[in-house]
Amino acid sequence: MTRSALRCHSSALTLVVLLFACGDGSEAPKGAVTRNPLLRPSAYAETAPTTYRVRLETSVGDVMIQVHRDWAPLGADRFYNLAKGGYYDDSRIYRVLDSFMAQFGLNGDPYVTQAWKTQFLVDDPVVESNARGRVAFAKGGRHTRTTEIFISYKDNRGLDDDGFAPIGEVIEGMDVVDSFYADYGDGPP
């Protein structure tokens, strides 16, 4: 296994996701046209390990997330495949709402974002609550999860009834999450 570094940039913070991933180290021949593999979402269907960790490196410090597949298997598998495949490279933490959550998960390449826009996941049952530090997929209704992730700043148990199934939790660096810049003017949903 090799360690895969996924780099993401933002004016406020930089997000890097590190995940143990397999790779063969091969490169395309010189002059060959290569297509971004993320344009084919169907190629990202690997089953995630029972538990795994993802490290977010930001300009204000590191955050370690531990994902538990038994909490939300479909969501854990999706996050694993996206992180391993480099989806979060050049992404930004673009939404921070004080006393609610911080959100990321739009790819820096608009074509990649478009390719994943309709790759909806069926909702996992809510097994764990949206407590402070829990990580879940954002959604806009029933069975609409795609790529966007949020970290709860507080006990958001009210989201449990709306079907927001946590996939994991911050195990290191919640103080870093608390320090994310929140003054872009976004309001509550």
Side-chain angles (χ1 to χ4, degrees), residues 62-77:
D62 293 355
V63 177
M64 182 68 72
I65 296 171
Q66 183 156 327
V67 179
H68 303 270
R69 192 169 186 279
D70 59 337
W71 289 10
L74 298 175
D77 290 350

Side-chain angles (χ1 to χ4, degrees), residues 9-32:
H9 301 285
S10 171
S11 59
L13 40 114
T14 301
L15 174 67
V16 177
V17 180
L18 297 175
L19 175 70
F20 285 103
C22 298
D24 63 6
S26 63
E27 294 182 22
K30 212 175 208 180

Side-chain angles (χ1 to χ4, degrees), residues 71-170:
W71 289 10
L74 298 175
D77 290 350
R78 170 67 58 91
F79 188 55
Y80 178 78
N81 283 284
L82 290 171
K84 182 178 173 183
Y87 181 88
Y88 298 110
D89 291 5
D90 298 321
S91 69
R92 300 165 193 240
I93 295 175
Y94 62 86
R95 187 173 189 219
V96 177
L97 300 175
D98 282 332
S99 301
F100 184 46
M101 61 86 189
Q103 186 171 338
F104 65 95
L106 296 175
N107 188 273
D109 179 339
Y111 294 107
V112 171
T113 297
Q114 187 66 30
W116 285 87
K117 185 177 181 178
T118 58
Q119 299 303 307
F120 300 116
L121 280 178
V122 172
D123 292 340
D124 284 301
V126 176
V127 174
E128 294 290 329
S129 186
N130 284 279
R132 175 174 164 75
R134 294 285 170 87
V135 179
F137 274 89
K139 60 185 200 150
R142 188 169 185 232
H143 307 313
T144 61
R145 298 178 301 164
T146 56
T147 61
E148 297 174 63
I149 300 287
F150 69 90
I151 302 170
S152 287
Y153 277 128
K154 66 174 188 147
D155 179 356
N156 284 321
R157 293 181 198 279
L159 296 175
D160 299 352
D161 292 337
D162 292 329
F164 290 90
I167 62 169
E169 61 192 333
V170 173

Side-chain angles (χ1 to χ4, degrees), residues 16 54-58 61-65 151 170-174 176-177 180:
V16 177
V54 175
R55 185 174 70 193
L56 310 178
E57 293 180 0
T58 76
D62 293 355
V63 177
M64 182 68 72
I65 296 171
I151 302 170
V170 173
I171 58 171
E172 294 175 21
M174 194 60 196
V176 172
V177 177
F180 291 161

